């Protein structure tokens, strides 16, 4: 698969209920909700802000996986 953020080759490291876990060597590991995946069909991420936010989430809580859901998604 390709990373939803940078479009580079990434690993899908699991699928949970209503979400996908993506492991990108560039963007790191993040969870993306199926609702956001659906919105991605018609919208695009504000890539750099989204990456900053994932970074911020990791700093805020190092034990949990950074999350892209309808609340954290930043659209361009
Ligand atoms: Zn990536």
């Amino acid at each position: 698969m390709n990373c939803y953020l940078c479009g580079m080759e990434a690993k899908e490291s699991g699928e949970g209920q209503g979400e996908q876990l993506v492991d990108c060597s560039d963007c790191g590991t993040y969870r993306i909700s199926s609702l956001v995946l659906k919105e991605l069909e018609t919208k695009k991420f504000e890539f750099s802000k989204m990456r900053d936010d994932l970074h911020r989430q990791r700093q805020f809580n190092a034990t949990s996986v950074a999350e892209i859901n309808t609340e954290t998604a930043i659209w361009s």
Side-chain angles (χ1 to χ4, degrees):
M1 67 162 297
N2 292 328
C3 174
Y4 294 108
L5 290 175
C6 66
M8 303 278 277
E9 180 74 31
K11 253 197 344 246
E12 187 182 331
S13 49
E15 212 170 343
Q17 214 156 43
E19 60 185 24
Q20 241 179 60
L21 198 63
V22 179
D23 194 5
C24 173
S25 56
D26 211 35
C27 310
T29 303
Y30 60 92
R31 235 192 283 275
I32 185 163
S33 83
S34 57
L35 275 174
V36 172
L37 289 178
K38 186 121 195 87
E39 290 190 67
L40 256 185
E41 290 169 15
T42 53
K43 299 195 217 172
K44 269 192 160 74
F45 284 132
E46 182 74 60
F47 175 56
S48 57
K49 282 191 189 161
M50 196 67 250
R51 280 239 296 222
D52 284 351
D53 187 67
L54 292 182
H55 189 63
R56 192 189 51 79
Q57 288 188 40
R58 289 186 188 106
Q59 283 188 323
F60 187 69
N61 189 347
T63 54
S64 73
V65 175
E67 193 126 14
I68 304 177
N69 54 39
T70 47
E71 269 159 47
T72 59
I74 300 166
W75 304 106
S76 65

